[in-house]
Amino acid sequence: MSLDHPAEGYEFDQDTRVEKRADGEFTATLTDGWTTFTSHPNGGYVLGTALNALGQTLAQPDPLVVSAFYLRPAAPGEAALRTETIREGRRTATGAVVLEQGGKEIVRATATYGDLSAEGRELHLQGPPELPAPEECEVPAEFAGEPEGVTIAHRVEYRYPQRPQWLDGRKDGNPQVDFWMRFADGRDADVHSLPAMVDFAVPAVLEIGEFSTITVELTTHIRARPAPGWLACRVWTKHVSHSLHEEDMEIWDSEGKLVAQARQLAMLI
């Protein structure tokens, strides 16, 4: 299947582009435009590149669930990708993808795709974050500038109802944060970008003074095709032990519809 991105000129689409070399084999070039506090390309961005290859392999249009293991940090530069179709069914298709650099595996992911246009029962026991309108929320000066080495801050916009306490050195905050998010260049989110965007949140553990954390495994559920506009996000951590913590995230679209959920296991470094 060929992914139909309506806006090929946007940075995310350009930077996650893959070239098909043979059946199940692709190449890509990871850029330095999505680096984080760790100085490596953001794991969600790397996964987005891998899924661009897998999405061209499977017949169903929408990722439903993605599970990715991060084996090594990625680096800007050339990457090779290998995809495998595990099963093609009537309603779902499942496949796997490996992204390698320098002959070493960086990310290995398995995903099931389906069709989110199907209708069915709806039940939500909790609604989206209650946030002021994005234009009424704060843009921290540190985010509006050019944080050294954190180039993802130039690609993604964030709006907070109040200034995050960790920016002022506080280490005793509540590791739950509600905020707005969108691509800085105006690209609207879609089902192909959501598996990456669930990893674009500033980690909630910064509120307790933990600034260095890396993802071990990330599972994402895509629940609906998002409407255009800002995304209302909720991210939280409840447990830190043995230098590991979970990071949960929900993304709701501009119409108040749940579009993505994610949980990752991360390691403090």
Side-chain angles (χ1 to χ4, degrees):
M1 169 187 173
S2 176
L3 297 186
D4 181 18
H5 293 303
E8 289 289 343
Y10 289 125
E11 291 172 321
F12 181 79
D13 302 296
Q14 293 175 340
D15 293 349
T16 58
R17 182 173 294 143
V18 300
E19 296 291 337
K20 187 173 182 177
R21 299 303 184 191
D23 286 346
E25 296 182 8
F26 301 79
T27 59
T29 301
L30 301 182
T31 79
D32 61 359
W34 304 82
T35 58
T36 67
F37 291 106
T38 66
S39 76
H40 296 286
N42 169 264
Y45 158 64
V46 178
L47 178 59
T49 304
L51 292 180
N52 199 359
L54 184 58
Q56 295 186 42
T57 304
L58 302 178
Q60 295 288 344
D62 304 317
L64 304 181
V65 58
V66 180
S67 181
F69 286 86
Y70 290 85
L71 307 177
R72 294 174 179 84
E78 297 300 311
L81 302 101
R82 292 181 284 108
T83 65
E84 175 191 1
T85 299
I86 298 172
R87 179 182 182 273
E88 290 274 5
R90 182 175 62 85
R91 297 180 61 185
T92 62
T94 299
V97 58
V98 173
L99 184 147
E100 297 179 345
Q101 287 187 303
K104 296 181 178 180
E105 290 192 16
I106 304 299
V107 174
R108 178 182 286 262
T110 303
T112 292
Y113 281 55
D115 188 346
L116 286 168
S117 66
E119 296 185 359
R121 180 179 177 181
E122 292 281 334
L123 173 65
H124 300 280
L125 302 181
Q126 185 181 30
E130 295 183 3
L131 292 165
E135 57 271 17
E136 298 174 7
C137 289
E138 181 170 350
V139 183
E142 293 86 347
F143 284 45
E146 296 186 0
E148 184 177 354
V150 187
T151 58
I152 193 172
H154 309 158
R155 305 293 188 269
V156 183
E157 289 187 54
Y158 305 89
R159 297 287 186 275
Y160 293 89
Q162 59 269 332
R163 179 176 170 81
Q165 296 185 10
W166 60 267
L167 286 171
D168 299 317
R170 294 282 299 274
K171 299 181 179 181
D172 58 351
N174 176 23
Q176 174 172 326
V177 185
D178 297 345
F179 61 98
W180 294 103
M181 178 174 66
R182 69 177 179 183
F183 285 110
D185 62 1
R187 184 198 194 280
D188 284 315
D190 59 16
V191 295
H192 305 295
S193 64
L194 286 172
M197 299 185 83
V198 297
D199 197 43
F200 287 175
V202 176
V205 290
L206 267 66
E207 294 290 337
I208 57 173
E210 297 291 349
F211 280 79
S212 295
T213 177
I214 57 173
T215 303
V216 177
E217 189 272 347
L218 171 64
T219 293
T220 304
H221 296 171
I222 305 302
R223 305 301 301 267
R225 297 173 181 173
W230 284 92
L231 301 170
C233 304
R234 177 184 291 129
V235 61
W236 70 96
T237 293
K238 291 185 178 180
H239 307 283
V240 180
S241 62
H242 303 286
S243 294
L244 298 168
H245 68 94
E246 87 288 352
E247 183 103 348
D248 288 313
M249 187 172 186
E250 296 175 352
I251 299 182
W252 302 72
D253 71 6
S254 59
E255 297 178 354
K257 178 174 55 184
L258 179 67
V259 295
Q261 295 171 285
R263 167 167 282 190
Q264 62 179 276
L265 181 69
M267 181 180 296
L268 303 178
I269 57 176

